[in-house]
Amino acid sequence: MAANEPGSRTATLSDVARLAGVSIATASKALNDRDDVAVATRQRVLRAAEELSFTPNAMAKGLLAGRTGTVGLLTSDLEGRFMIPILMGAEDAFGAGQVNVFLCDARGDAIREQHHLKALLSRRVDGIIVVGRQTDPRPSLGQEIPVPVVYAYAPSDDARDLSLTPDNYAGGRLAIEHLISCGRTRIAHITGDPAYAAAQDRIAGARAALAAAGLELVGDPMFSEWSEHWGRDAAAMLLQRHPDVDAVFCGSDQIARGVLDTARDLGRNVPDDLAVIGYDNWEVLSTNSRPQLTSIDANLQQLGRQAAQRVFDAIDGVDIGQGTHHLPVRLVIRGSTIPRR
């Protein structure tokens, strides 16, 4: 049955690209008679379009007409803790007033996510950035999306997709290397939910840095929830069992804030008696702590900028690659590990 016969599925730009053996972006350029497409490639795309009786639908027309100046940002981050800095970075890359961003919150619901995806495509967005609320792999949107898709923070579970995520393993190493450089050798670890990939990656990096220095964690890593309350309770247990601990690497800034509270209650001076380092560099917490909190920053704005740039590269026909790419994190030093003068 031909593509335009009653009851048949309408051919898409993706179908044309697949039959011609080119990317969707290249197919779009060829059908739009752009100069940066080789003559042979354009002819191959045109033959494929004719063979499939391709008629541009609303989504494909957006590609054929060039950029619409809109990008979709599809998130499951209910609180905006990670999504907001990524969005800010993406908007920086897009340029003020040049690109509109449609923000959709799927609230962790797969059905709602599909609804938002259809709505974004109906608006003929140029591309989509998918932002997760944790660094565990998430289900792919699939390979049939007619616009470029980049996954940020939470990587896709399909290696054919391009995913950008912070390097939590490197972050764990960086935290421990800093504590060791401060002269600490009795280092413990308090973190959140052990089911989170981030928690396990940070521990792996921490252990590697300790092993390189001939050291081990004091006691076992302490797991529970990502909260100040857990940080307070865990620190009380830790300091009772191991009073000679001289540093605590915390899996989040919230946990670290709780550790600071308990240290103060028990008469431990931070950082002289006990160095404390957090993770995420959530400035509303880290800069208002007593003392201010040293932390590992995941560079989420840079993550957003890179995700946006990859989307536009793909629209321009650049091969942006695939697989999961771990982006650098950085250490932000404050008074919880080094005395301020």
Side-chain angles (χ1 to χ4, degrees):
M1 189 178 338
N4 60 349
E5 288 182 6
S8 66
R9 182 177 74 84
T10 302
T12 67
L13 183 61
S14 179
D15 295 328
V16 174
R18 187 182 304 107
L19 181 60
V22 298
S23 69
I24 293 175
T26 299
S28 169
K29 291 177 181 181
L31 291 168
N32 200 34
D33 203 25
R34 289 268 295 271
D35 292 336
D36 51 347
V37 179
V39 174
T41 300
R42 178 180 292 108
Q43 291 176 347
R44 195 162 70 248
V45 171
L46 292 174
R47 283 197 300 270
E50 182 178 0
E51 182 178 338
L52 294 171
S53 301
F54 171 68
T55 301
N57 58 21
M59 289 179 285
K61 285 177 181 176
L63 283 171
L64 293 176
R67 296 181 185 177
T68 62
T70 58
V71 170
L73 198 152
L74 185 57
T75 180
S76 295
D77 180 14
L78 301 180
E79 299 176 356
R81 167 67 189 91
F82 302 109
M83 181 275 296
I84 290 175
I86 291 173
L87 173 61
M88 292 172 62
E91 287 185 325
D92 287 346
F94 293 146
Q98 298 180 24
V99 174
N100 294 313
V101 178
F102 291 127
L103 176 61
C104 299
D105 184 3
R107 304 183 189 177
D109 184 287
I111 295 175
R112 187 183 295 269
E113 182 175 81
Q114 286 299 312
H115 168 76
H116 285 316
L117 175 61
K118 290 177 182 177
L120 289 172
L121 293 176
S122 71
R123 288 177 177 270
R124 297 182 298 156
V125 294
D126 292 324
I128 297 173
I129 299 174
V130 182
V131 183
R133 54 184 169 181
Q134 59 198 65
T135 58
D136 298 71
R138 53 144 291 143
S140 172
L141 295 180
Q143 302 302 311
E144 299 302 316
I145 308 300
V147 296
V149 179
V150 174
Y151 296 79
Y153 201 72
S156 167
D157 61 4
D158 189 332
R160 293 174 294 178
D161 293 324
L162 174 66
S163 303
L164 306 178
T165 191
D167 192 339
N168 281 302
Y169 179 88
R173 286 196 68 120
L174 194 58
I176 296 298
E177 287 169 353
H178 173 63
L179 293 174
I180 292 173
S181 73
C182 294
R184 313 295 169 152
T185 58
R186 300 281 298 167
I187 303 171
H189 186 44
I190 301 173
T191 191
D193 189 338
Y196 277 52
Q200 297 297 336
D201 291 343
R202 291 167 191 171
I203 288 173
R207 289 191 189 278
L210 285 165
L215 301 172
E216 294 181 350
L217 283 175
V218 173
D220 293 326
M222 302 177 73
F223 295 100
S224 184
E225 59 187 27
W226 307 96
S227 70
E228 289 187 44
H229 187 277
W230 164 238
R232 288 193 292 270
D233 290 348
M237 290 186 285
L238 173 68
L239 294 174
Q240 182 179 31
R241 296 172 186 169
H242 305 283
D244 58 344
V245 161
D246 61 12
V248 182
F249 167 35
C250 301
S252 75
D253 291 339
Q254 291 166 292
I255 293 171
R257 275 275 291 260
V259 172
L260 291 178
D261 288 346
T262 293
R264 188 180 309 111
D265 292 344
L266 297 179
R268 294 292 191 100
N269 181 277
V270 176
D272 293 340
D273 302 330
L274 184 72
V276 178
I277 185 170
Y279 208 105
D280 295 329
N281 194 34
W282 193 357
E283 291 195 355
V284 69
L285 290 179
S286 58
T287 60
N288 289 297
S289 297
R290 298 173 48 205
Q292 291 192 348
L293 185 64
T294 295
S295 187
I296 302 297
D297 191 319
N299 280 335
L300 296 182
Q301 287 199 35
Q302 177 64 19
L303 183 70
R305 282 191 289 270
Q306 290 214 23
Q309 187 58 56
R310 299 295 183 92
V311 166
F312 277 169
D313 285 347
I315 293 170
D316 286 339
V318 176
D319 182 1
I320 60 174
Q322 57 186 9
T324 299
H325 297 249
H326 295 91
L327 303 189
V329 300
R330 66 189 180 100
L331 172 69
V332 179
I333 301 174
R334 299 190 181 92
S336 66
T337 56
I338 293 179
R340 310 308 288 184
R341 302 302 180 192

